[in-house]
Each structure stands twice: as C-alpha cells, then as structure tokens.
Amino acid sequence: MLLLVLNNFCAMDTEGIEIRIKTPVGDMDSSVDCPSLLSFSDLLVAIRDVMPETTITAFEYEDEVGDRITVRSDEELKAMLSYVNTRPNDCSPAAVGSMPNNSSSLKKSSAELKKILTNGQINGQDIQYQEQLGHGNGGTVYKAYHLLGNRVLAVKVIPLDITVELQKQIMSELEILYKCDSSYIITFYSAFFVENRISICTEYMDGGSLDVYRRIPEHVLGRISVAVVKGLTYLWSLKILHRDVKPSNMLVNTRGQVKLCDFGVSTQLVNSIAKTYVGTNAYMAPERISGEQYGIHSDVWSVGISFMELALGAFPYPQIQKNQGSLMPLQLLQCIVDEDPPVLPVGQFSQNFVHFITQCMKRLPKERPAPNNLMDHAFILLYDDGNAEVVSMWVCRCLEERRAQAQGQM
Ligand code: ATP
Ligand code: MG
C-alpha cells in the first residue's frame, strides 16, 4: 500500500503539514496549508494525479514506533492529522523548503484543488495515449496521460471533415463546458482540432460506463439515479438539454461518483457527427423517434428506459436487439412509438422504483415528471442520502470480478 510520510510546519502566518508520497518511481512532496480543510477524497484525487497508473482507495502512515496505520475515510484522515499535530513542531522556515517540491501541490480546499486540476490548456503534444476505452457512434475514447498536468484523462477523438469556419463554431459552442461545475457532470478540460479530428479531453472515470455492468441491484441503482437526476437538473438549469441520455453516457468511478457525459452542447458538432453516422438512438423518446419537438421531457423518457434496462439487465423492448451501440434503423424502433411502454415486474422491484420508471416512460411528454417532480419522487428521496460508499463498493467488486475473469481466461 501507498505510504505517506508526514511533517508539520509553520511558516509566516500559516501552519500546515508536508506530505511525502512514497511512490515506486520516487518521492513526491507537497504541502497542505490548511489541513483541517482537507478531505479524504481531496487527498485521493491528488494522489491519483501523481500516480495515474494505480487505483488508490487507501493509504498508510507510520506512527512514532514505525507501525503502519491505514487511512480509508475522513475519520481516519482526521486521526492522522491530529497525530501529526501532536508531534513536536518544527517551526523553522527551513522545514518548509526542506523537501524538493516536484509534484502538483495538494491545496487548501477542494475548490482550489479542482481549479488546479482543471485549469490550463491541453495541447496535443503533451498527451500520451494509453489504452482504448471504447468506440461509439462517431468517436474513439482513449485513456491518456497529460504530461504537463500529471494527470490521467479520457480523450475522445472524432474524425470530422468540416471547414475551418465550422471548426471555430464548434470550439466556441464548446466554451460553455468550461462553466459546467457540478459533481454529477464530467469535468471538461479542453478541446482541440488536429487536422480533421477533434479531441475532447475530460476527466477519466476508472469504473467506465454503466452499459457494461450487468443487472444493477436496486439499492445501488437508487444512488445512481439520484446522481443522474441531479446532473440533468443542473444541465437543465443552464438551459442545456442532454439529448443523449443512455447507460454508456453515465460514468462511474471507484470513489462511488456517478457523472454524465456526452451532452449535446454543440449543435454543430452533433450535426457534423450525424452526417457520418446514420441511425436512430434506441433510448430516444417516442416523440423524437417520430420527428417531433424535443424538450426536457424527452431527456426524462431516456432516464426511464435507461434505468429500466440497467435494472433488468436487458433492453426493455425484447423485439429490439441492440447488438452494438445504440443506433438502429428507424423502422425497428417504431414499436416504441406504437406500443404501450413496458412496465417493470412489480414482484422483483419496489413499488417506488416501478412508479418512478412508469412516470418517466409516459407516452405523452407532458405527463412525465418535470425536474422538481423528479427530485421529489419518493424513489429519489429514499436514496438521496449521500452514501457514495454503496456505489463505490459495488464498482470495486465488479471491477475485481472482471479482472479475475480476464485472468482466468488467459
Ligand atoms: P455515443 O458515441 O453515441 O455516445 P458511446 O457512449 O457508446 O456512444 P463513446 O462516447 O465514444 O461511445 O464512448 C465509448 C466508451 O468509452 C464508453 O462506452 C465508455 O466505456 C468509455 N468512456 C467514455 N468516456 C469516458 C471517461 N471519461 N472515462 C472513462 N471511460 C470513458
Ligand atoms: Mg458516449
């Protein structure tokens, strides 16, 4: 396990601690000015930033007799910080500069930390592409390492044969992404064109997208639904419609966070991709399949059908076979327009959950819940308890199972 070596210091009017992260490739030193503001998750983010290759869920420190103590939560972090504070204080200014500072620094608060992680333009030459994470309608997503920022990214590369004018229009339409600031929306870092390809750099989520998880238990799905509804409510408050809500655009990580990605902020980008890829999205609301107007209610339908699929472990319309991706010939989706929407089997799921899905999948858009009704639904209220641990444990277990399965097949 990762070892942190701690030292307290005071300099000028600031007190803090210095943390040395012992990594296999050398030591990384950082100072924290206001340790009381530091949370366990801030520290994990910063550690992952300097050690992007490793999945870290805990770390250790040594007490005065050399025993190693594990830190896995805010409580344990508090204990670690108070242990450092009770040790003799080395107040000489030399202590501040005594360790070479060669890492991105751990900062005062999560807001500041986020600023550090998200600012700065990303340039194509500074990116080292690693594995391919997936391929969708239009683009390929890679895990990549940003050399200057010392961080792992997800980079979506989309080939687009368009004029420089249109490229500029797309870049300006993407500007709004810098303003998106919600823990339920994937953090956007930067976008750039190289020749006829656009690269869109975002936060990397180590649990990937929900489409690859089979049958998610209701108590986990409840917490995921809360995050998705909060993410959408946030986008709608900025007058942004998602337009592509589906399991592959819901990402999770081992910290138990759930975030939305791939929402359509750039009309020009959406249109340019649509010219290359023909087909209709199977998660689209009936009114969209019929070519009618699109609104918030259409996003709500897509929430319903996505969660129904995630609960059942199969697409809710058995006559629609989704082999690869979600784009289908329009005729195959006609049953979504013509038939009564499917309903979850009551015996297997709670009444609250069945009601939530049924409301979201009302055929008439106006009958579906509005944003505040979604937030106030009993199913959402029940699971809005901030318990990220449930999702975190489930993601870690599924990743572990997948790893074991892959090793078994080798
Ligand atoms: P569409 O192109 O219609 O959105 P899609 O969502 O399946 O379809 P992509 O958006 O290209 O396709 O994504 C491909 C895959 O890459 C996703 O299914 C997901 O597993 C992975 N992926 C995308 N973004 C990230 C990210 N930020 N972190 C980790 N994995 C990601
Ligand atoms: Mg996607």
Side-chain angles (χ1 to χ4, degrees), residues 136-137 141 156 209 244 246 248-251 261-262:
N137 311 301
V141 181
K156 186 166 190 168
S209 51
D244 203 8
K246 57 183 175 181
S248 71
N249 288 338
M250 300 172 187
L251 302 167
C261 68
D262 287 345

Side-chain angles (χ1 to χ4, degrees), residues 132-143 153-158 186-187 201-212 244 246-252 261-262 273 281 325-327:
Q132 183 175 317
L133 295 171
H135 186 76
N137 311 301
T140 306
V141 181
Y142 299 90
K143 183 176 175 184
L153 311 171
V155 184
K156 186 166 190 168
V157 183
I158 309 170
I186 206 82
T187 305
C201 307
T202 62
E203 169 185 9
Y204 167 69
M205 297 286 278
D206 62 359
S209 51
L210 290 183
D211 55 322
V212 292
D244 203 8
K246 57 183 175 181
S248 71
N249 288 338
M250 300 172 187
L251 302 167
V252 284
C261 68
D262 287 345
I273 296 174
N281 181 341
S326 49
L327 289 190

